[in-house]
Amino acid sequence: MARFIGVLFLLIALLFWAGAQQVNYDGYQVWRLTLEKPAQMEEIQSLVRDIWMVRGRTVDVCLSPEEQALLRSAGYAGEVLIKDVGALIRQQQTEFVPQDGSLFTRYLTLDEIYAAMRQLADQNPRLVQMFEVGKSIEGRPIYALRLTRDPRRARVYRDRPQVVINAMQHAREWITPPVVLYFAYRLVSEYETDVRVREYLDRMEIYVVPVVNPDGYVFTHTTNRLWRKNRRYNGRNLWNQPIYGVDLNRNWAYGWGGPGSSGNPSSETYRGTAPFSEPETYHLSRWLLSLPLLRAHVDVHSYSQMILYPWGNTTDLPPFNAVFERVGLAQQAAILSVHQQYYTVGPIATTIYLASGGMTDWVFAVRGALSFTYELRDTGQYGFLLPPEQILPNCEEVYPAFLELLRWALRRDWSE
Ligand code: 0X9
Ligand code: ZN
């Protein structure tokens, strides 16, 4: 009996241990394929579970050893971008990182990001306020920072135009929270010395939401570094395996269900059962609707180095296309001037791919704000596994682009 209990105990312990293990990417590779004809895209979608990026006829795919064999026998030969995904993830987890107190030399945990936000707000009560936008599906708070002079004198200033910058709808895009957090820190530190920054904080309200998908972000730390969606439980598949996750950037109400989104709960671009079915998008949208003078917005993603604007759900050009292009090019120039990194500018659907139910489309269609999607570094060498040495340079180069957007948001007239 004692022996039986012992074995049972061991089994249970083993199960827990297996459950706590990280998803193993040993033998996985990232390939860049160049399609001969657009129809091949469908074949690739049927053979490959995780498509990392599409850009014209170029497709980056993350492949298990089985998928590599499948593609080879289907006649595809790709350029290998990452030879061993598992080894790269492990290397980044164990690499020595200097603990020099800097927030931007390594990737922070969710708690560390929230602590850094809290600290900025606590130490600068006359410029910064922290608040909760709502809770995620697993009950984690989604925090925002409100940056404006004397934030405590009004819940919202009706005479200060608002700009919102948010990141991390997609959990594996680790570079995005630091870039937004850095923006907030830098605004505060330059308030006294940079006349532009002072004017923006005196006359506008700037909101940053570094982590829209906290559950997904935690999951990328504990279990699966390459998780993308939120952590909604979608029921079980044919093999009785549980299925999780809605792509938050397909769950917004404008154009929901259109091309470039999936109705299959197992898909990486699953749109959910209804527009705003997810607490993360629901709370964010309610809050965005409550801002009286929302003028500009950025939804920050990675990777590909792009500055994108509506529409995502159709290849038609948006109203004010010329304004979008002009402001986009101004942001591109600002980025280029810092570390000579080139970001492509254009409408979502024709620059990357059709994607319906995205945040940028909704913010522009429903709020009339100048709304962009950024895709940060790099262009594919590391993709979502961007080395920590590139965090600070990426933060530095995007900062003046955000300032450029603030400059436009403060302008009354966008016609010239
Ligand atoms: O597919 C996406 O959601 C974005 N690319 S990513 O690789 N970061 O997942 C592009 C989103 C474009 N924006 C909208 N469709 N609104
Ligand atoms: Zn993304």
Side-chain angles (χ1 to χ4, degrees), residues 52-53 170 172-173 228 247 249-250 269 299 301-303 308 311-313 348 352-361 373-375 384:
W52 271 21
M53 195 54 65
H170 292 146
R172 60 190 173 188
E173 297 165 11
R228 166 180 168 99
D247 183 347
N249 206 30
R250 300 294 182 277
T269 52
D299 176 25
H301 290 254
S302 73
Y303 62 98
L308 305 167
W311 300 109
N313 75 320
I348 294 161
I352 25 174
Y353 42 72
L354 279 159
S356 299
M359 183 177 195
T360 285
D361 284 10
T373 299
Y374 283 9
E375 297 280 0
F384 302 117

PDB file of all heavy atoms in Angstrom, residues 52-53 170 172-173 228 247 249-250 269 299 301-303 308 311-313 348 352-361 373-375 384, ligand 1:
ATOM      1  N   TRP A  52       4.985  33.502 -39.083  1.00  0.00           N
ATOM      2  CA  TRP A  52       5.480  34.641 -38.299  1.00  0.00           C
ATOM      3  C   TRP A  52       5.205  35.971 -38.985  1.00  0.00           C
ATOM      4  O   TRP A  52       4.837  36.939 -38.362  1.00  0.00           O
ATOM      5  CB  TRP A  52       6.996  34.493 -38.043  1.00  0.00           C
ATOM      6  CG  TRP A  52       7.300  33.741 -36.804  1.00  0.00           C
ATOM      7  CD1 TRP A  52       6.473  32.869 -36.148  1.00  0.00           C
ATOM      8  CD2 TRP A  52       8.518  33.796 -36.037  1.00  0.00           C
ATOM      9  NE1 TRP A  52       7.108  32.371 -35.027  1.00  0.00           N
ATOM     10  CE2 TRP A  52       8.366  32.930 -34.945  1.00  0.00           C
ATOM     11  CE3 TRP A  52       9.732  34.478 -36.193  1.00  0.00           C
ATOM     12  CZ2 TRP A  52       9.369  32.741 -33.980  1.00  0.00           C
ATOM     13  CZ3 TRP A  52      10.734  34.288 -35.248  1.00  0.00           C
ATOM     14  CH2 TRP A  52      10.542  33.426 -34.148  1.00  0.00           C
ATOM     15  N   MET A  53       5.420  36.020 -40.280  1.00  0.00           N
ATOM     16  CA  MET A  53       5.294  37.308 -40.954  1.00  0.00           C
ATOM     17  C   MET A  53       5.079  37.109 -42.442  1.00  0.00           C
ATOM     18  O   MET A  53       5.632  36.183 -43.030  1.00  0.00           O
ATOM     19  CB  MET A  53       6.565  38.124 -40.717  1.00  0.00           C
ATOM     20  CG  MET A  53       6.457  39.580 -41.030  1.00  0.00           C
ATOM     21  SD  MET A  53       5.090  40.411 -40.190  1.00  0.00           S
ATOM     22  CE  MET A  53       5.584  40.275 -38.468  1.00  0.00           C
ATOM     23  N   HIS A 170      -0.179  41.312 -28.699  1.00  0.00           N
ATOM     24  CA  HIS A 170       0.381  39.996 -29.013  1.00  0.00           C
ATOM     25  C   HIS A 170       1.507  39.662 -28.048  1.00  0.00           C
ATOM     26  O   HIS A 170       2.504  40.382 -27.977  1.00  0.00           O
ATOM     27  CB  HIS A 170       0.886  39.991 -30.459  1.00  0.00           C
ATOM     28  CG  HIS A 170      -0.227  40.087 -31.451  1.00  0.00           C
ATOM     29  ND1 HIS A 170      -0.122  40.749 -32.648  1.00  0.00           N
ATOM     30  CD2 HIS A 170      -1.495  39.573 -31.399  1.00  0.00           C
ATOM     31  CE1 HIS A 170      -1.280  40.643 -33.297  1.00  0.00           C
ATOM     32  NE2 HIS A 170      -2.120  39.946 -32.566  1.00  0.00           N
ATOM     33  N   ARG A 172       3.975  37.524 -27.674  1.00  0.00           N
ATOM     34  CA  ARG A 172       5.378  37.219 -27.926  1.00  0.00           C
ATOM     35  C   ARG A 172       6.187  38.424 -28.404  1.00  0.00           C
ATOM     36  O   ARG A 172       7.400  38.332 -28.575  1.00  0.00           O
ATOM     37  CB  ARG A 172       5.475  36.115 -28.966  1.00  0.00           C
ATOM     38  CG  ARG A 172       4.851  36.462 -30.323  1.00  0.00           C
ATOM     39  CD  ARG A 172       4.801  35.209 -31.164  1.00  0.00           C
ATOM     40  NE  ARG A 172       4.086  35.387 -32.423  1.00  0.00           N
ATOM     41  CZ  ARG A 172       3.798  34.369 -33.239  1.00  0.00           C
ATOM     42  NH1 ARG A 172       4.150  33.145 -32.916  1.00  0.00           N
ATOM     43  NH2 ARG A 172       3.162  34.588 -34.362  1.00  0.00           N
ATOM     44  N   GLU A 173       5.531  39.562 -28.579  1.00  0.00           N
ATOM     45  CA  GLU A 173       6.215  40.739 -29.125  1.00  0.00           C
ATOM     46  C   GLU A 173       6.846  41.535 -27.986  1.00  0.00           C
ATOM     47  O   GLU A 173       6.446  42.650 -27.655  1.00  0.00           O
ATOM     48  CB  GLU A 173       5.219  41.542 -29.977  1.00  0.00           C
ATOM     49  CG  GLU A 173       4.742  40.696 -31.165  1.00  0.00           C
ATOM     50  CD  GLU A 173       3.495  41.216 -31.885  1.00  0.00           C
ATOM     51  OE1 GLU A 173       3.077  42.355 -31.626  1.00  0.00           O
ATOM     52  OE2 GLU A 173       2.945  40.462 -32.712  1.00  0.00           O
ATOM     53  N   ARG A 228       0.938  33.950 -28.829  1.00  0.00           N
ATOM     54  CA  ARG A 228       0.510  35.218 -29.451  1.00  0.00           C
ATOM     55  C   ARG A 228      -0.805  35.769 -28.873  1.00  0.00           C
ATOM     56  O   ARG A 228      -0.938  36.959 -28.628  1.00  0.00           O
ATOM     57  CB  ARG A 228       0.321  34.972 -30.951  1.00  0.00           C
ATOM     58  CG  ARG A 228      -0.426  36.045 -31.725  1.00  0.00           C
ATOM     59  CD  ARG A 228      -0.516  35.649 -33.190  1.00  0.00           C
ATOM     60  NE  ARG A 228      -1.443  36.450 -33.958  1.00  0.00           N
ATOM     61  CZ  ARG A 228      -1.084  37.480 -34.732  1.00  0.00           C
ATOM     62  NH1 ARG A 228       0.185  37.858 -34.777  1.00  0.00           N
ATOM     63  NH2 ARG A 228      -1.975  38.141 -35.426  1.00  0.00           N
ATOM     64  N   ASP A 247      -7.097  36.001 -30.919  1.00  0.00           N
ATOM     65  CA  ASP A 247      -6.196  37.049 -31.388  1.00  0.00           C
ATOM     66  C   ASP A 247      -6.860  38.398 -31.110  1.00  0.00           C
ATOM     67  O   ASP A 247      -7.835  38.761 -31.773  1.00  0.00           O
ATOM     68  CB  ASP A 247      -5.917  36.882 -32.888  1.00  0.00           C
ATOM     69  CG  ASP A 247      -4.927  37.907 -33.412  1.00  0.00           C
ATOM     70  OD1 ASP A 247      -4.630  38.896 -32.692  1.00  0.00           O
ATOM     71  OD2 ASP A 247      -4.443  37.727 -34.547  1.00  0.00           O
ATOM     72  N   ASN A 249      -6.089  41.292 -31.764  1.00  0.00           N
ATOM     73  CA  ASN A 249      -6.077  42.227 -32.898  1.00  0.00           C
ATOM     74  C   ASN A 249      -6.927  41.745 -34.088  1.00  0.00           C
ATOM     75  O   ASN A 249      -6.771  42.220 -35.210  1.00  0.00           O
ATOM     76  CB  ASN A 249      -4.650  42.519 -33.344  1.00  0.00           C
ATOM     77  CG  ASN A 249      -4.534  43.887 -34.020  1.00  0.00           C
ATOM     78  OD1 ASN A 249      -5.288  44.811 -33.686  1.00  0.00           O
ATOM     79  ND2 ASN A 249      -3.620  44.012 -34.972  1.00  0.00           N
ATOM     80  N   ARG A 250      -7.825  40.804 -33.834  1.00  0.00           N
ATOM     81  CA  ARG A 250      -8.875  40.450 -34.785  1.00  0.00           C
ATOM     82  C   ARG A 250     -10.242  40.538 -34.119  1.00  0.00           C
ATOM     83  O   ARG A 250     -11.241  40.157 -34.711  1.00  0.00           O
ATOM     84  CB  ARG A 250      -8.688  39.011 -35.317  1.00  0.00           C
ATOM     85  CG  ARG A 250      -7.385  38.749 -36.036  1.00  0.00           C
ATOM     86  CD  ARG A 250      -7.252  39.513 -37.344  1.00  0.00           C
ATOM     87  NE  ARG A 250      -6.002  39.179 -38.014  1.00  0.00           N
ATOM     88  CZ  ARG A 250      -4.821  39.736 -37.726  1.00  0.00           C
ATOM     89  NH1 ARG A 250      -4.741  40.670 -36.780  1.00  0.00           N
ATOM     90  NH2 ARG A 250      -3.736  39.368 -38.382  1.00  0.00           N
ATOM     91  N   THR A 269      -4.900  33.479 -35.704  1.00  0.00           N
ATOM     92  CA  THR A 269      -5.640  34.717 -35.973  1.00  0.00           C
ATOM     93  C   THR A 269      -7.133  34.539 -35.702  1.00  0.00           C
ATOM     94  O   THR A 269      -7.975  35.147 -36.353  1.00  0.00           O
ATOM     95  CB  THR A 269      -5.428  35.197 -37.425  1.00  0.00           C
ATOM     96  OG1 THR A 269      -5.722  34.100 -38.325  1.00  0.00           O
ATOM     97  CG2 THR A 269      -3.990  35.636 -37.663  1.00  0.00           C
ATOM     98  N   ASP A 299      -0.807  51.593 -32.110  1.00  0.00           N
ATOM     99  CA  ASP A 299      -0.862  50.233 -31.584  1.00  0.00           C
ATOM    100  C   ASP A 299       0.481  49.597 -31.962  1.00  0.00           C
ATOM    101  O   ASP A 299       0.762  49.406 -33.141  1.00  0.00           O
ATOM    102  CB  ASP A 299      -2.040  49.503 -32.240  1.00  0.00           C
ATOM    103  CG  ASP A 299      -2.118  48.043 -31.834  1.00  0.00           C
ATOM    104  OD1 ASP A 299      -1.613  47.701 -30.747  1.00  0.00           O
ATOM    105  OD2 ASP A 299      -2.692  47.239 -32.614  1.00  0.00           O
ATOM    106  N   HIS A 301       3.397  46.861 -32.355  1.00  0.00           N
ATOM    107  CA  HIS A 301       3.640  45.428 -32.576  1.00  0.00           C
ATOM    108  C   HIS A 301       5.097  45.221 -32.985  1.00  0.00           C
ATOM    109  O   HIS A 301       5.864  46.156 -33.141  1.00  0.00           O
ATOM    110  CB  HIS A 301       2.747  44.912 -33.712  1.00  0.00           C
ATOM    111  CG  HIS A 301       1.291  44.847 -33.367  1.00  0.00           C
ATOM    112  ND1 HIS A 301       0.646  43.673 -33.115  1.00  0.00           N
ATOM    113  CD2 HIS A 301       0.358  45.823 -33.237  1.00  0.00           C
ATOM    114  CE1 HIS A 301      -0.625  43.913 -32.841  1.00  0.00           C
ATOM    115  NE2 HIS A 301      -0.828  45.210 -32.911  1.00  0.00           N
ATOM    116  N   SER A 302       5.454  43.957 -33.206  1.00  0.00           N
ATOM    117  CA  SER A 302       6.709  43.636 -33.868  1.00  0.00           C
ATOM    118  C   SER A 302       6.447  42.370 -34.679  1.00  0.00           C
ATOM    119  O   SER A 302       5.498  41.652 -34.392  1.00  0.00           O
ATOM    120  CB  SER A 302       7.831  43.407 -32.863  1.00  0.00           C
ATOM    121  OG  SER A 302       7.676  42.167 -32.198  1.00  0.00           O
ATOM    122  N   TYR A 303       7.227  42.008 -35.706  1.00  0.00           N
ATOM    123  CA  TYR A 303       8.397  42.704 -36.177  1.00  0.00           C
ATOM    124  C   TYR A 303       8.233  43.036 -37.650  1.00  0.00           C
ATOM    125  O   TYR A 303       7.242  42.634 -38.259  1.00  0.00           O
ATOM    126  CB  TYR A 303       9.638  41.794 -36.000  1.00  0.00           C
ATOM    127  CG  TYR A 303       9.597  40.518 -36.794  1.00  0.00           C
ATOM    128  CD1 TYR A 303      10.254  40.416 -38.030  1.00  0.00           C
ATOM    129  CD2 TYR A 303       8.883  39.395 -36.341  1.00  0.00           C
ATOM    130  CE1 TYR A 303      10.220  39.245 -38.764  1.00  0.00           C
ATOM    131  CE2 TYR A 303       8.841  38.225 -37.088  1.00  0.00           C
ATOM    132  CZ  TYR A 303       9.506  38.157 -38.289  1.00  0.00           C
ATOM    133  OH  TYR A 303       9.452  37.010 -39.025  1.00  0.00           O
ATOM    134  N   LEU A 308       2.325  51.585 -40.221  1.00  0.00           N
ATOM    135  CA  LEU A 308       1.153  51.209 -41.009  1.00  0.00           C
ATOM    136  C   LEU A 308      -0.048  52.055 -40.614  1.00  0.00           C
ATOM    137  O   LEU A 308      -0.157  52.502 -39.470  1.00  0.00           O
ATOM    138  CB  LEU A 308       0.836  49.735 -40.787  1.00  0.00           C
ATOM    139  CG  LEU A 308       1.992  48.769 -41.072  1.00  0.00           C
ATOM    140  CD1 LEU A 308       1.685  47.383 -40.509  1.00  0.00           C
ATOM    141  CD2 LEU A 308       2.254  48.695 -42.571  1.00  0.00           C
ATOM    142  N   TRP A 311      -6.501  51.081 -44.391  1.00  0.00           N
ATOM    143  CA  TRP A 311      -7.284  50.066 -43.700  1.00  0.00           C
ATOM    144  C   TRP A 311      -6.536  48.720 -43.645  1.00  0.00           C
ATOM    145  O   TRP A 311      -5.723  48.452 -44.519  1.00  0.00           O
ATOM    146  CB  TRP A 311      -8.615  49.835 -44.401  1.00  0.00           C
ATOM    147  CG  TRP A 311      -9.482  51.031 -44.496  1.00  0.00           C
ATOM    148  CD1 TRP A 311      -9.774  51.749 -45.608  1.00  0.00           C
ATOM    149  CD2 TRP A 311     -10.216  51.650 -43.429  1.00  0.00           C
ATOM    150  NE1 TRP A 311     -10.649  52.765 -45.306  1.00  0.00           N
ATOM    151  CE2 TRP A 311     -10.933  52.729 -43.973  1.00  0.00           C
ATOM    152  CE3 TRP A 311     -10.343  51.407 -42.048  1.00  0.00           C
ATOM    153  CZ2 TRP A 311     -11.763  53.560 -43.205  1.00  0.00           C
ATOM    154  CZ3 TRP A 311     -11.164  52.231 -41.290  1.00  0.00           C
ATOM    155  CH2 TRP A 311     -11.869  53.285 -41.867  1.00  0.00           C
ATOM    156  N   GLY A 312      -6.956  47.886 -42.676  1.00  0.00           N
ATOM    157  CA  GLY A 312      -6.482  46.522 -42.636  1.00  0.00           C
ATOM    158  C   GLY A 312      -7.480  45.564 -43.266  1.00  0.00           C
ATOM    159  O   GLY A 312      -7.128  44.492 -43.721  1.00  0.00           O
ATOM    160  N   ASN A 313      -8.750  45.950 -43.287  1.00  0.00           N
ATOM    161  CA  ASN A 313      -9.796  45.015 -43.728  1.00  0.00           C
ATOM    162  C   ASN A 313     -10.145  45.148 -45.212  1.00  0.00           C
ATOM    163  O   ASN A 313     -10.959  44.400 -45.718  1.00  0.00           O
ATOM    164  CB  ASN A 313     -11.054  45.192 -42.868  1.00  0.00           C
ATOM    165  CG  ASN A 313     -11.821  46.449 -43.243  1.00  0.00           C
ATOM    166  OD1 ASN A 313     -11.223  47.495 -43.508  1.00  0.00           O
ATOM    167  ND2 ASN A 313     -13.132  46.361 -43.292  1.00  0.00           N
ATOM    168  N   ILE A 348      -2.099  49.188 -44.118  1.00  0.00           N
ATOM    169  CA  ILE A 348      -1.913  47.828 -43.607  1.00  0.00           C
ATOM    170  C   ILE A 348      -2.087  46.781 -44.708  1.00  0.00           C
ATOM    171  O   ILE A 348      -1.204  45.962 -44.965  1.00  0.00           O
ATOM    172  CB  ILE A 348      -2.921  47.539 -42.464  1.00  0.00           C
ATOM    173  CG1 ILE A 348      -2.618  48.414 -41.250  1.00  0.00           C
ATOM    174  CG2 ILE A 348      -2.903  46.062 -42.077  1.00  0.00           C
ATOM    175  CD1 ILE A 348      -3.772  48.546 -40.272  1.00  0.00           C
ATOM    176  N   ILE A 352       1.415  44.904 -45.542  1.00  0.00           N
ATOM    177  CA  ILE A 352       1.645  43.537 -45.074  1.00  0.00           C
ATOM    178  C   ILE A 352       0.602  42.585 -45.621  1.00  0.00           C
ATOM    179  O   ILE A 352       0.879  41.811 -46.494  1.00  0.00           O
ATOM    180  CB  ILE A 352       1.735  43.325 -43.536  1.00  0.00           C
ATOM    181  CG1 ILE A 352       1.012  44.389 -42.736  1.00  0.00           C
ATOM    182  CG2 ILE A 352       3.142  43.166 -43.079  1.00  0.00           C
ATOM    183  CD1 ILE A 352       1.025  44.008 -41.254  1.00  0.00           C
ATOM    184  N   TYR A 353      -0.585  42.629 -45.058  1.00  0.00           N
ATOM    185  CA  TYR A 353      -1.627  41.702 -45.512  1.00  0.00           C
ATOM    186  C   TYR A 353      -2.968  42.195 -45.015  1.00  0.00           C
ATOM    187  O   TYR A 353      -3.043  43.066 -44.150  1.00  0.00           O
ATOM    188  CB  TYR A 353      -1.363  40.280 -45.000  1.00  0.00           C
ATOM    189  CG  TYR A 353      -0.902  40.192 -43.560  1.00  0.00           C
ATOM    190  CD1 TYR A 353      -1.770  40.442 -42.503  1.00  0.00           C
ATOM    191  CD2 TYR A 353       0.420  39.869 -43.244  1.00  0.00           C
ATOM    192  CE1 TYR A 353      -1.342  40.357 -41.179  1.00  0.00           C
ATOM    193  CE2 TYR A 353       0.861  39.782 -41.923  1.00  0.00           C
ATOM    194  CZ  TYR A 353      -0.034  40.031 -40.900  1.00  0.00           C
ATOM    195  OH  TYR A 353       0.394  39.959 -39.597  1.00  0.00           O
ATOM    196  N   LEU A 354      -4.034  41.628 -45.564  1.00  0.00           N
ATOM    197  CA  LEU A 354      -5.376  41.924 -45.078  1.00  0.00           C
ATOM    198  C   LEU A 354      -5.507  41.390 -43.658  1.00  0.00           C
ATOM    199  O   LEU A 354      -5.099  40.262 -43.369  1.00  0.00           O
ATOM    200  CB  LEU A 354      -6.422  41.268 -45.973  1.00  0.00           C
ATOM    201  CG  LEU A 354      -6.761  42.019 -47.267  1.00  0.00           C
ATOM    202  CD1 LEU A 354      -7.376  41.063 -48.278  1.00  0.00           C
ATOM    203  CD2 LEU A 354      -7.705  43.180 -46.983  1.00  0.00           C
ATOM    204  N   ALA A 355      -6.023  42.203 -42.771  1.00  0.00           N
ATOM    205  CA  ALA A 355      -6.246  41.791 -41.386  1.00  0.00           C
ATOM    206  C   ALA A 355      -7.459  42.548 -40.880  1.00  0.00           C
ATOM    207  O   ALA A 355      -7.411  43.757 -40.695  1.00  0.00           O
ATOM    208  CB  ALA A 355      -5.017  42.098 -40.523  1.00  0.00           C
ATOM    209  N   SER A 356      -8.565  41.834 -40.663  1.00  0.00           N
ATOM    210  CA  SER A 356      -9.819  42.479 -40.259  1.00  0.00           C
ATOM    211  C   SER A 356     -10.039  42.367 -38.759  1.00  0.00           C
ATOM    212  O   SER A 356      -9.639  41.390 -38.138  1.00  0.00           O
ATOM    213  CB  SER A 356     -11.000  41.834 -40.983  1.00  0.00           C
ATOM    214  OG  SER A 356     -10.874  41.987 -42.372  1.00  0.00           O
ATOM    215  N   GLY A 357     -10.720  43.371 -38.209  1.00  0.00           N
ATOM    216  CA  GLY A 357     -10.984  43.372 -36.776  1.00  0.00           C
ATOM    217  C   GLY A 357      -9.799  43.867 -35.981  1.00  0.00           C
ATOM    218  O   GLY A 357      -9.675  43.577 -34.794  1.00  0.00           O
ATOM    219  N   GLY A 358      -8.935  44.642 -36.641  1.00  0.00           N
ATOM    220  CA  GLY A 358      -7.761  45.194 -35.962  1.00  0.00           C
ATOM    221  C   GLY A 358      -8.074  46.494 -35.230  1.00  0.00           C
ATOM    222  O   GLY A 358      -9.046  47.179 -35.536  1.00  0.00           O
ATOM    223  N   MET A 359      -7.224  46.813 -34.278  1.00  0.00           N
ATOM    224  CA  MET A 359      -7.459  47.984 -33.438  1.00  0.00           C
ATOM    225  C   MET A 359      -7.385  49.287 -34.230  1.00  0.00           C
ATOM    226  O   MET A 359      -8.202  50.198 -34.033  1.00  0.00           O
ATOM    227  CB  MET A 359      -6.428  47.999 -32.308  1.00  0.00           C
ATOM    228  CG  MET A 359      -6.633  49.140 -31.337  1.00  0.00           C
ATOM    229  SD  MET A 359      -5.460  49.080 -29.984  1.00  0.00           S
ATOM    230  CE  MET A 359      -6.244  50.235 -28.846  1.00  0.00           C
ATOM    231  N   THR A 360      -6.380  49.370 -35.097  1.00  0.00           N
ATOM    232  CA  THR A 360      -6.169  50.611 -35.840  1.00  0.00           C
ATOM    233  C   THR A 360      -7.379  50.982 -36.696  1.00  0.00           C
ATOM    234  O   THR A 360      -7.788  52.143 -36.738  1.00  0.00           O
ATOM    235  CB  THR A 360      -4.872  50.461 -36.673  1.00  0.00           C
ATOM    236  OG1 THR A 360      -3.769  50.565 -35.787  1.00  0.00           O
ATOM    237  CG2 THR A 360      -4.766  51.512 -37.747  1.00  0.00           C
ATOM    238  N   ASP A 361      -7.961  50.019 -37.352  1.00  0.00           N
ATOM    239  CA  ASP A 361      -9.153  50.288 -38.155  1.00  0.00           C
ATOM    240  C   ASP A 361     -10.280  50.834 -37.274  1.00  0.00           C
ATOM    241  O   ASP A 361     -10.971  51.783 -37.634  1.00  0.00           O
ATOM    242  CB  ASP A 361      -9.648  49.003 -38.855  1.00  0.00           C
ATOM    243  CG  ASP A 361      -8.795  48.632 -40.062  1.00  0.00           C
ATOM    244  OD1 ASP A 361      -7.722  49.245 -40.242  1.00  0.00           O
ATOM    245  OD2 ASP A 361      -9.189  47.726 -40.823  1.00  0.00           O
ATOM    246  N   THR A 373      -0.393  51.538 -36.821  1.00  0.00           N
ATOM    247  CA  THR A 373       0.190  50.329 -36.243  1.00  0.00           C
ATOM    248  C   THR A 373       1.677  50.397 -36.527  1.00  0.00           C
ATOM    249  O   THR A 373       2.069  50.564 -37.682  1.00  0.00           O
ATOM    250  CB  THR A 373      -0.372  49.059 -36.924  1.00  0.00           C
ATOM    251  OG1 THR A 373      -1.783  48.977 -36.730  1.00  0.00           O
ATOM    252  CG2 THR A 373       0.279  47.804 -36.342  1.00  0.00           C
ATOM    253  N   TYR A 374       2.498  50.319 -35.496  1.00  0.00           N
ATOM    254  CA  TYR A 374       3.938  50.190 -35.724  1.00  0.00           C
ATOM    255  C   TYR A 374       4.301  48.711 -35.672  1.00  0.00           C
ATOM    256  O   TYR A 374       3.789  47.975 -34.827  1.00  0.00           O
ATOM    257  CB  TYR A 374       4.756  50.874 -34.617  1.00  0.00           C
ATOM    258  CG  TYR A 374       4.868  52.374 -34.661  1.00  0.00           C
ATOM    259  CD1 TYR A 374       4.131  53.172 -35.530  1.00  0.00           C
ATOM    260  CD2 TYR A 374       5.742  53.011 -33.779  1.00  0.00           C
ATOM    261  CE1 TYR A 374       4.264  54.555 -35.513  1.00  0.00           C
ATOM    262  CE2 TYR A 374       5.884  54.390 -33.752  1.00  0.00           C
ATOM    263  CZ  TYR A 374       5.128  55.161 -34.624  1.00  0.00           C
ATOM    264  OH  TYR A 374       5.261  56.516 -34.594  1.00  0.00           O
ATOM    265  N   GLU A 375       5.229  48.341 -36.540  1.00  0.00           N
ATOM    266  CA  GLU A 375       5.906  47.047 -36.395  1.00  0.00           C
ATOM    267  C   GLU A 375       7.366  47.392 -36.108  1.00  0.00           C
ATOM    268  O   GLU A 375       8.044  47.983 -36.942  1.00  0.00           O
ATOM    269  CB  GLU A 375       5.805  46.220 -37.681  1.00  0.00           C
ATOM    270  CG  GLU A 375       4.383  45.823 -38.080  1.00  0.00           C
ATOM    271  CD  GLU A 375       3.818  44.634 -37.318  1.00  0.00           C
ATOM    272  OE1 GLU A 375       4.530  44.078 -36.445  1.00  0.00           O
ATOM    273  OE2 GLU A 375       2.663  44.264 -37.579  1.00  0.00           O
ATOM    274  N   PHE A 384      10.680  37.697 -33.433  1.00  0.00           N
ATOM    275  CA  PHE A 384      10.142  37.919 -32.085  1.00  0.00           C
ATOM    276  C   PHE A 384      11.201  37.691 -31.010  1.00  0.00           C
ATOM    277  O   PHE A 384      11.007  38.077 -29.869  1.00  0.00           O
ATOM    278  CB  PHE A 384       8.949  36.993 -31.843  1.00  0.00           C
ATOM    279  CG  PHE A 384       7.854  37.173 -32.849  1.00  0.00           C
ATOM    280  CD1 PHE A 384       7.490  36.145 -33.700  1.00  0.00           C
ATOM    281  CD2 PHE A 384       7.199  38.388 -32.960  1.00  0.00           C
ATOM    282  CE1 PHE A 384       6.484  36.317 -34.646  1.00  0.00           C
ATOM    283  CE2 PHE A 384       6.191  38.578 -33.911  1.00  0.00           C
ATOM    284  CZ  PHE A 384       5.835  37.535 -34.749  1.00  0.00           C
TER     285      PHE A 384
HETATM  286  O1  0X9 B   1      -1.335  40.649 -37.778  1.00  0.00           O
HETATM  287  C1  0X9 B   1      -1.312  41.583 -36.987  1.00  0.00           C
HETATM  288  O2  0X9 B   1      -2.168  41.739 -36.118  1.00  0.00           O
HETATM  289  C2  0X9 B   1      -0.199  42.617 -37.066  1.00  0.00           C
HETATM  290  N1  0X9 B   1       1.056  42.000 -37.384  1.00  0.00           N
HETATM  291  S1  0X9 B   1       1.752  41.041 -36.236  1.00  0.00           S
HETATM  292  O3  0X9 B   1       2.840  40.332 -36.848  1.00  0.00           O
HETATM  293  N2  0X9 B   1       2.376  41.951 -35.125  1.00  0.00           N
HETATM  294  O4  0X9 B   1       0.764  40.183 -35.672  1.00  0.00           O
HETATM  295  C3  0X9 B   1      -0.565  43.631 -38.116  1.00  0.00           C
HETATM  296  C4  0X9 B   1      -1.775  44.390 -37.695  1.00  0.00           C
HETATM  297  C5  0X9 B   1      -2.217  45.406 -38.655  1.00  0.00           C
HETATM  298  N3  0X9 B   1      -3.192  46.216 -38.033  1.00  0.00           N
HETATM  299  C6  0X9 B   1      -4.521  46.026 -38.199  1.00  0.00           C
HETATM  300  N4  0X9 B   1      -4.992  45.091 -38.958  1.00  0.00           N
HETATM  301  N5  0X9 B   1      -5.325  46.859 -37.577  1.00  0.00           N
END
